Amino acid sequence: MQRWKLTIEYEGTNYSGFQIQDNVPTIQGELEKAIYAFCQQNIKITVAGRTDAGVHATGQVAHFDLDYGDRKIDGFSLAKAINAHLINHPIAVLHAQAVDKDFHARFDAHNKEYMYRIISRPSKLAIEQNRVWHIRTKLNAKAMHEAGQILVGKHDFTSFRDTACQAKNPIRTIDRLEIICNKIDNFGGEDIRLYIEGQSFLHHQVRNIIGTLVLVGQGKWNNDDVKNALQAKDRKAAGPTAPPEGLYLVRIDY
Amino acid sequence: MQRWKLTIEYEGTNYSGFQIQDNVPTIQGELEKAIYAFCQQNIKITVAGRTDAGVHATGQVAHFDLDYGDRKIDGFSLAKAINAHLINHPIAVLHAQAVDKDFHARFDAHNKEYMYRIISRPSKLAIEQNRVWHIRTKLNAKAMHEAGQILVGKHDFTSFRDTACQAKNPIRTIDRLEIICNKIDNFGGEDIRLYIEGQSFLHHQVRNIIGTLVLVGQGKWNNDDVKNALQAKDRKAAGPTAPPEGLYLVRIDY
């Protein structure tokens, strides 16, 4: 029996999230089908971060155990074999690595990075449809970055987690929150990216943070409003949940 | 009668190129249908650069004449009205501008910029499928950039144009050719972008240049091979035509 660590990329648009469910397409379901197609074994994979419907990943991590009998397989060949059964899906195994039998994709993760993408411009999206949050109004990205620094550090994030979040403890530490803005055309269009890192996040935490910082970017909220939202420890005190299509799970460190 | 200049973005994947043709989906066809839906007039648009099937644009330009009777419409409202009829297509009018009646999208263009995107990594593409050329082997982007400088300036580009190219004169001037490479993961994956500018290009010129420079990036060709290909004035002397999905018409200056 060998434990394998997979690093996975996917576009989440047409899937009901990572976690396997009956009768709907999921990333986990397609990966497990591809593994079955390659080795004819029903293998359950364990993932680092379950992403919601419509959320993407460029560096998701999962592990599984494979009993391949007396045959040998290396990581390169394993990734290639799984990918060969994913050709009709926007899901790819970037890397497969043999790991110790006690490696755990979820419990051993000590840092996660998410990116959230916004395109602000008046006209509809063409090329980036389903891969960014489209906001028609101008945003002040510098103000969003500055207000975001209020959330960096160790806080009770009750105001920023989904009311259905099942984590026992609402305290989390954000180690980095950076917002970078680039001009994309001569008509005021901007590509705004949030990079956020921490050991772990609550359910919808990143999307609720972005939904709140967009209020700042639109000039509706100031830094004090963000401070008050954090202190209120009440989901209703913070901004709305940003849509899933802008969110990417980028990197997990072990 | 008012002449309008449109700046247009599109993902070319599911279209048989820009130019209208019978019985196949085209960018021009969808734009003219959208204009008809908005004003009930059959209007023909004139484009700056006809792109091939599968090629994308973030800054295509076209013009057309609209007789809107006594009614007034501004550029913002015109773009919005056309976009409202493009919701099911990855085509967007970024900007509409009223121009003089002698403005011509094609003949007045004095500079065009194209970008060509490559992702080099062993595993299949997920998120960027159809929007970049996927090459599984490692490329030396620095060597590609250096060999590309041989093509900058005024040359007879017979070796780099399609044998069916109808331009009378094969002489063109490349004002800028720059190749930039960025790491995209921890497994050797790289995002390589070519930026190329000139007043005009021959049919397949950019794709034939990229197809040739990739031979350099793979170590199969050196700078002398590129010089010899240019001097041969024979399409068979240069490299293969790169696929359309990596090519973007980025900007046209007037």
Side-chain angles (χ1 to χ4, degrees):
Chain A
M1 193 74 94
Q2 174 66 56
R3 181 156 290 191
W4 290 94
K5 174 190 174 195
L6 302 181
T7 305
I8 305 154
E9 176 182 288
Y10 50 85
E11 173 168 337
T13 310
N14 295 319
Y15 299 89
S16 300
F18 191 93
Q19 194 176 21
I20 201 160
Q21 302 165 60
D22 287 342
N23 306 320
V24 291
T26 62
I27 309 295
Q28 183 179 2
E30 298 308 333
L31 279 165
E32 292 182 357
K33 271 192 258 178
I35 293 169
Y36 181 85
F38 137 70
C39 67
Q40 281 75 52
Q41 293 180 46
N42 282 307
I43 284 172
K44 202 171 160 50
I45 63 175
T46 300
V47 76
R50 288 177 298 181
T51 52
D52 287 323
V55 173
H56 319 295
T58 58
Q60 175 68 281
V61 173
H63 78 255
F64 70 98
D65 295 318
L66 177 66
D67 183 354
Y68 209 48
D70 293 336
R71 291 166 294 175
K72 293 260 180 214
I73 190 162
D74 61 25
F76 185 84
S77 306
L78 179 64
K80 202 173 155 181
I82 299 172
N83 283 333
H85 296 287
L86 289 167
I87 42 170
N88 294 319
H89 293 275
I91 305 170
V93 176
L94 297 182
H95 194 247
Q97 186 189 351
V99 287
D100 287 345
K101 67 178 188 317
D102 57 355
F103 170 86
H104 196 285
R106 185 165 164 214
F107 302 139
D108 292 354
H110 66 75
N111 184 55
K112 281 186 192 162
E113 180 178 9
Y114 285 90
M115 172 175 75
Y116 195 97
R117 287 190 65 195
I118 293 170
I119 286 182
S120 83
R121 70 179 194 194
S123 87
K124 72 191 279 278
L125 298 177
I127 294 173
E128 300 288 13
Q129 215 174 351
N130 298 321
R131 283 181 292 277
V132 302
W133 183 15
H134 178 215
I135 296 181
R136 291 180 189 269
T137 53
K138 184 95 183 158
L139 297 175
N140 182 340
K142 193 163 170 283
M144 290 169 68
H145 175 80
E146 283 167 11
Q149 302 319 303
I150 293 162
L151 305 175
V152 173
K154 189 175 179 178
H155 302 286
D156 180 327
F157 281 100
T158 298
S159 301
F160 294 90
R161 70 162 166 170
D162 194 78
T163 50
C165 177
Q166 287 170 21
K168 280 179 193 141
N169 188 341
I171 294 173
R172 289 294 182 276
T173 301
I174 295 176
D175 295 313
R176 173 188 170 223
L177 189 158
E178 192 171 0
I179 292 177
I180 291 167
C181 178
N182 282 297
K183 175 182 155 171
I184 51 168
D185 60 39
N186 290 321
F187 316 115
E190 292 185 322
D191 179 316
I192 295 167
R193 296 182 188 216
L194 163 94
Y195 297 92
I196 191 166
E197 287 187 56
Q199 187 181 352
S200 72
F201 292 88
L202 298 159
H203 194 207
H204 284 180
Q205 186 181 352
V206 179
R207 289 164 60 188
N208 292 339
I209 286 173
I210 270 285
T212 303
L213 295 180
V214 161
L215 295 176
V216 176
Q218 292 172 326
K220 295 174 185 168
W221 274 33
N222 62 28
N223 288 2
D224 284 339
D225 295 320
V226 176
K227 272 179 213 159
N228 291 340
L230 182 62
Q231 283 161 8
K233 300 185 182 63
D234 175 0
R235 176 69 193 94
K236 289 190 292 293
T241 306
E245 62 263 28
L247 187 60
Y248 294 75
L249 174 49
V250 167
R251 205 184 78 241
I252 304 171
D253 298 326
Y254 292 91
Chain B
M1 192 75 94
Q2 174 65 57
R3 182 155 290 191
W4 290 95
K5 175 190 175 196
L6 302 181
T7 305
I8 304 154
E9 175 182 289
Y10 50 85
E11 172 167 338
T13 310
N14 295 320
Y15 298 90
S16 299
F18 192 91
Q19 194 176 22
I20 201 160
Q21 302 165 60
D22 289 341
N23 305 320
V24 290
T26 63
I27 309 295
Q28 184 179 0
E30 298 307 333
L31 280 165
E32 292 181 358
K33 270 192 259 177
I35 293 170
Y36 180 85
F38 137 68
C39 67
Q40 281 74 52
Q41 294 179 46
N42 281 306
I43 285 173
K44 203 171 159 52
I45 64 174
T46 301
V47 76
R50 288 176 298 181
T51 52
D52 287 322
V55 173
H56 320 294
T58 58
Q60 174 70 281
V61 173
H63 77 255
F64 71 98
D65 295 318
L66 177 66
D67 183 354
Y68 209 47
D70 292 335
R71 292 165 294 176
K72 294 259 179 213
I73 189 164
D74 61 24
F76 186 83
S77 304
L78 179 64
K80 202 173 155 183
I82 299 172
N83 283 334
H85 296 286
L86 289 167
I87 42 170
N88 294 319
H89 293 275
I91 306 171
V93 176
L94 297 183
H95 193 246
Q97 185 188 352
V99 288
D100 288 344
K101 66 179 190 314
D102 58 354
F103 171 84
H104 196 286
R106 184 164 164 216
F107 300 140
D108 292 355
H110 66 74
N111 184 56
K112 280 185 193 162
E113 180 178 9
Y114 285 89
M115 173 175 75
Y116 195 99
R117 287 190 65 193
I118 293 170
I119 286 182
S120 83
R121 70 179 194 195
S123 87
K124 72 191 280 275
L125 298 178
I127 293 174
E128 300 289 13
Q129 215 174 350
N130 299 322
R131 283 181 292 277
V132 302
W133 183 14
H134 178 214
I135 295 181
R136 289 181 190 269
T137 53
K138 184 96 184 157
L139 297 175
N140 182 340
K142 193 163 170 281
M144 291 169 68
H145 174 80
E146 284 168 10
Q149 303 319 303
I150 293 162
L151 305 174
V152 173
K154 188 175 178 177
H155 302 286
D156 181 325
F157 281 101
T158 298
S159 300
F160 294 90
R161 69 163 166 169
D162 194 77
T163 49
C165 177
Q166 287 170 20
K168 280 178 192 142
N169 188 341
I171 293 173
R172 289 293 184 277
T173 301
I174 295 176
D175 295 312
R176 173 188 170 222
L177 190 159
E178 192 171 0
I179 292 178
I180 291 168
C181 178
N182 282 298
K183 175 182 156 172
I184 52 167
D185 60 38
N186 290 321
F187 316 116
E190 291 184 324
D191 179 317
I192 295 167
R193 296 182 188 214
L194 163 93
Y195 297 91
I196 190 166
E197 287 187 57
Q199 187 182 351
S200 72
F201 292 88
L202 298 160
H203 193 207
H204 284 181
Q205 186 180 352
V206 178
R207 288 164 61 188
N208 291 339
I209 286 173
I210 271 284
T212 303
L213 294 180
V214 162
L215 294 175
V216 176
Q218 291 172 326
K220 294 174 184 166
W221 274 35
N222 62 28
N223 288 4
D224 285 338
D225 296 318
V226 176
K227 273 179 211 160
N228 292 339
L230 182 64
Q231 283 161 8
K233 299 184 181 65
D234 175 0
R235 176 68 192 93
K236 291 190 290 293
T241 307
E245 62 264 28
L247 188 60
Y248 294 73
L249 174 49
V250 166
R251 203 184 78 240
I252 305 171
D253 298 326
Y254 292 90

